[in-house]
Amino acid sequence: MTASLSIRQVGKRFLSRGTIVHAMSDVNLDVAEGEFVTIVGPSGCGKSTLLNILAGLFPPSSGQVHFRGERTSGLNPEIGYVTQQDNLLPWRTLRKNVLLPLEFRGVSVSNGVAERVQALIDKVGLSGFENHYPHELSGGMRQRVNIIRTLICDPRVILMDEPFGPLDAQTRLTLQNQLLELWREERKTIVFITHDLAEAITLADKVVVMTGRPGTIKSVTPVTIPRPRDVYHIHDSQAYREIYDKLWEELRDEVAKVM
Amino acid sequence: MAKTDEVKSAPPEELDLLLPPEVTGLRLLWWRVKNAEELRWVRVAALRVLFGVIMIVLWEAVSGRLIDHRTISSPSLLVASFFEIADPANPDGSLWVHFFYTVENTFWGYILGALAGILFGFLLAEIEVVALVIEPFIMAFNGVPRIAYAPLFIAWFGIERQPKIILVMTIVFFLTFVSTFAGIRGVSRDLINVSRVLGGSKLAILRKIVIPSASPWIFNGLKISIPFGMVGAIVGEYIIADKGLGYLLQRYNNEYYTTGLILIIFLLMFLVIMVNQVLNWAEGRALRWRPTSRMGQETVIPG
Ligand SMILES: Nc1ncnc2c1ncn2[C@@H]1O[C@H](COP(=O)(O)OP(=O)(O)OP(=O)(O)O)[C@@H](O)[C@H]1O
Ligand SMILES: [Mg+2]
């Protein structure tokens, strides 16, 4: 398998009110083409910082990132980023929010494009809400819009920062299911941050555990539970329990250090 | 924000089901009017008119009986003197001459001030250092009651239109500048970063993200500027002029002509309400997406 993203010795320091915050250091990670990687770690360990670097919003203080073998610098249209807040434009309707990246790229909305937009909206169960404004949608619906807005540009890699964080358990499971389906159909490379270990295991090919600040990688655990997975019942399986217990132990140590 | 469930106004047949069957005829009609969602607006308007009429009747009743009409005038006196002053043959110049003089000065001051304010707001919000440096100066200049500048402007620009227009301009400039500036500084960093990731160029982000984000603040600045701008024009005329509503106020004041003073006040109210109405309409169109109602956002008239 070719590496889609390879992260080498990446570190990040911030200058914040005259003091240097060492957010992250010596992060090494390979993400294969089409792989679904989830990252867990204590709060403030630099997970979002890592995604910001991968998205090209700012460069690392040390180390480097390669995308398909080439060193990255700056924003990359092949990489989509679903942020923790949905960041929809409140003055645009659902459909026009999804169209925003196409407008940015100068894609004219021909019949084909309009159909693709509609197909995505239908697929995540938002049909009938195309002309609603974000404040007229629920949190789960907004997060779905946020996701398909990224998908519409068809990036190879999708970075997701706790996209289901603020949602209730029911909605989370539904969205996890939809995400797995989308991933199976489109075979994107996904790097997904979550604070929910169950979610991390359910979705991932491998789960990355990060240490407390300065964040670095503590372990990488492959999840061999066969696909397609049943997000509603996976928690009952023996294989799931074993991985969960192992990861929980690792994570608990890190969280304990931070507290 | 709580999501309001989609409340459809119930059709009359369904509404009627809520009523005891013995309600019929006029009472039924009244009940329908009272409860029909489509008539909400009409009901409010009707009550407002009613309130206004009661105030006028009370005023008329009290004036000359409980309180001397030279002190509080009266609606009928106002109407009579309106026709007298508004008469084109009026030797002091018809009311309309004064009215349009003030309106024109306010208009030009407002347009120029608002354009400059919005433009500078955009420019300075983009340049961090400049913003930091000039902030205290702006606050200082803006903090002084504008009337204090009026004599200076008159000394510099004469007693014709110019000092009045410039006074209005400075007032409107600062209000729109400050609100535009705040609006642009307040644009979410996250929103901009996300747009960059989604492929937005600087110009596209300005057009599609920054301007719409800032527009509620800009509109707000434009709205609060109207009455304050008018104060500028009136104060300028009050100090020295031979025309304008401010000049009339000053003259009537000297003549203890209460009816005239109140007449001018009503004219100013009318003016502010009309302009506000136009801006509300424009705002409503531009900011259709906003979840909040427009209630309680009417412009206040500064003292
Ligand atoms: N722009 C910045 N300027 C200064 N410090 C920053 C900046 N961004 C992040 N940090 C610091 O870097 C550290 C890591 O932040 P980051 O947001 O990556 O954590 P996180 O792992 O995503 O946490 P959480 O799980 O709570 O979202 C934090 O201590 C934070 O204060
Ligand atoms: Mg984070």
Side-chain angles (χ1 to χ4, degrees):
Chain A
M1 268 202 286
T2 51
S4 174
L5 284 170
S6 70
I7 301 161
R8 288 281 164 269
Q9 297 291 105
V10 162
K12 183 73 190 177
R13 296 184 192 86
F14 289 107
L15 185 60
S16 164
R17 295 160 199 271
T19 58
I20 291 173
V21 178
H22 209 152
M24 216 170 52
S25 71
D26 284 337
V27 173
N28 287 293
L29 184 68
D30 277 319
V31 182
E33 200 83 49
E35 196 173 27
F36 201 135
V37 176
T38 55
I39 302 179
V40 291
S43 182
C45 74
K47 304 183 296 291
S48 301
T49 305
L50 180 61
L51 284 205
N52 288 338
I53 291 172
L54 294 181
L57 282 172
F58 48 70
S61 313
S62 56
Q64 45 199 272
V65 177
H66 293 266
F67 173 67
R68 315 189 101 219
E70 281 190 36
R71 184 160 177 188
T72 58
S73 63
L75 299 161
N76 186 336
E78 301 266 36
I79 298 178
Y81 190 2
V82 178
T83 45
Q84 184 162 5
Q85 270 76 44
D86 54 61
N87 284 317
L88 300 179
L89 309 187
W91 56 88
R92 282 182 169 232
T93 59
L94 188 161
R95 191 205 307 277
K96 297 213 81 188
N97 262 291
V98 179
L99 287 174
L100 180 72
L102 297 178
E103 290 174 20
F104 278 156
R105 279 150 214 248
V107 179
S108 65
V109 184
S110 61
N111 284 340
V113 173
E115 260 167 41
R116 224 163 70 77
V117 170
Q118 193 59 48
L120 270 176
I121 291 175
D122 294 344
K123 200 183 314 189
V124 295
L126 289 172
S127 358
F129 293 94
E130 292 84 350
N131 296 320
H132 283 54
Y133 288 98
H135 75 268
E136 300 170 312
L137 303 172
S138 72
M141 293 162 105
R142 282 203 295 270
Q143 205 47 275
R144 276 178 261 189
V145 181
N146 189 16
I147 291 169
I148 60 176
R149 178 175 68 176
T150 299
L151 287 175
I152 197 72
C153 302
D154 209 20
R156 280 171 193 278
V157 177
I158 302 174
L159 312 170
M160 303 178 103
D161 192 354
E162 304 197 23
F164 309 147
L167 307 177
D168 64 273
Q170 284 303 317
T171 314
R172 285 178 88 103
L173 288 181
T174 315
L175 292 190
Q176 285 169 15
N177 202 28
Q178 282 177 357
L179 180 61
L180 280 180
E181 254 165 53
L182 281 169
W183 178 70
R184 198 175 55 220
E185 285 165 21
E186 315 227 345
R187 279 292 149 180
K188 305 286 184 197
T189 306
I190 297 183
V191 180
F192 186 106
I193 290 174
T194 174
H195 58 251
D196 177 359
L197 202 45
E199 180 170 81
I201 299 168
T202 305
L203 298 174
D205 289 323
K206 65 188 188 200
V207 179
V208 175
V209 177
M210 285 181 73
T211 66
R213 200 170 53 235
T216 186
I217 287 177
K218 176 165 180 154
S219 72
V220 179
T221 308
V223 180
T224 48
I225 303 170
R227 296 181 189 270
R229 295 175 189 165
D230 177 350
V231 300
Y232 303 100
H233 297 106
I234 191 172
H235 315 91
D236 303 331
S237 80
Q238 181 60 30
Y240 171 88
R241 283 247 64 89
E242 275 168 22
I243 298 174
Y244 189 94
D245 291 341
K246 168 183 180 283
L247 289 177
W248 174 234
E249 200 125 310
E250 293 177 5
L251 197 56
R252 198 180 45 196
D253 292 346
E254 290 310 320
V255 174
K257 274 187 230 160
V258 174
M259 291 296 160
Chain B
M1 256 227 35
K3 209 163 82 75
T4 44
D5 285 320
E6 214 166 310
V7 184
K8 292 237 170 60
S9 60
E13 309 84 79
E14 263 175 52
L15 266 177
D16 290 354
L17 292 180
L18 300 171
L19 267 182
E22 63 270 18
V23 177
T24 51
L26 269 183
R27 280 182 64 203
L28 179 63
L29 187 69
W30 171 237
W31 198 85
R32 282 184 185 162
V33 169
K34 220 171 80 187
N35 289 286
E37 185 60 30
E38 306 86 64
L39 296 182
R40 219 175 79 97
W41 189 186
V42 179
R43 287 196 303 264
V44 172
L47 287 175
R48 283 182 180 171
V49 169
L50 186 67
F51 181 73
V53 169
I54 291 176
M55 298 286 287
I56 291 172
V57 169
L58 271 181
W59 185 7
E60 186 70 49
V62 165
S63 171
R65 294 186 180 80
L66 293 178
I67 306 172
D68 191 338
H69 66 75
R70 276 167 302 187
T71 311
I72 59 162
S73 185
S74 80
S76 54
L77 280 174
L78 274 175
V79 173
S81 72
F82 173 75
F83 283 112
E84 193 185 313
I85 304 174
D87 186 351
N90 185 344
D92 292 335
S94 162
L95 181 60
W96 301 121
V97 174
H98 298 287
F99 179 79
F100 286 114
Y101 183 78
T102 304
V103 168
E104 260 176 58
N105 291 347
T106 311
F107 176 81
W108 287 116
Y110 185 83
I111 296 287
L112 295 174
L115 282 178
I118 291 172
L119 193 73
F120 269 79
F122 267 94
L123 288 180
L124 293 196
E126 293 291 321
I127 312 170
E128 185 98 17
V129 189
V130 182
L132 269 177
V133 171
I134 64 162
E135 199 206 292
F137 296 95
I138 299 235
M139 287 306 141
F141 196 70
N142 195 33
V144 179
R146 227 44 60 96
I147 192 169
Y149 297 117
L152 256 190
F153 288 166
I154 287 164
W156 291 343
F157 304 109
I159 59 165
E160 294 291 315
R161 275 173 192 284
Q162 294 89 317
K164 285 124 202 166
I165 293 178
I166 288 167
L167 199 58
V168 177
M169 246 180 82
T170 60
I171 293 172
V172 174
F173 172 81
F174 281 107
L175 289 172
T176 49
F177 168 77
V178 168
S179 53
T180 305
F181 186 83
I184 289 177
R185 290 330 282 286
V187 178
S188 150
R189 274 305 328 159
D190 286 350
L191 216 51
I192 290 179
N193 277 337
V194 161
S195 306
R196 285 173 58 209
V197 173
L198 290 174
S201 65
K202 261 200 134 72
L203 187 68
I205 289 176
L206 179 71
R207 275 186 41 218
K208 290 177 196 285
I209 314 291
V210 176
I211 292 181
S213 285
S215 58
W217 276 269
I218 299 176
F219 267 110
N220 205 33
L222 286 175
K223 271 165 71 175
I224 54 175
S225 298
I226 298 169
F228 283 98
M230 212 174 300
V231 167
I234 305 262
V235 163
E237 291 162 3
Y238 200 94
I239 292 175
I240 186 161
D242 55 3
K243 248 190 263 166
L245 296 177
Y247 160 76
L248 282 187
L249 276 177
Q250 186 256 1
R251 229 186 69 191
Y252 294 160
N253 190 29
N254 289 344
E255 297 168 359
Y256 300 106
Y257 183 23
T258 320
T259 304
L261 288 174
I262 295 179
L263 188 67
I264 306 288
I265 289 170
F266 271 104
L267 219 59
L268 290 172
M269 278 183 197
F270 170 77
L271 206 62
V272 171
I273 289 170
M274 291 316 283
V275 183
N276 224 13
Q277 224 41 35
V278 171
L279 268 180
N280 272 342
W281 174 82
E283 186 186 27
R285 282 189 60 97
L287 308 180
R288 237 172 317 192
W289 49 274
R290 271 215 298 201
T292 46
S293 75
R294 299 248 164 324
M295 284 300 224
Q297 290 191 7
E298 255 102 72
T299 308
V300 282
I301 298 175

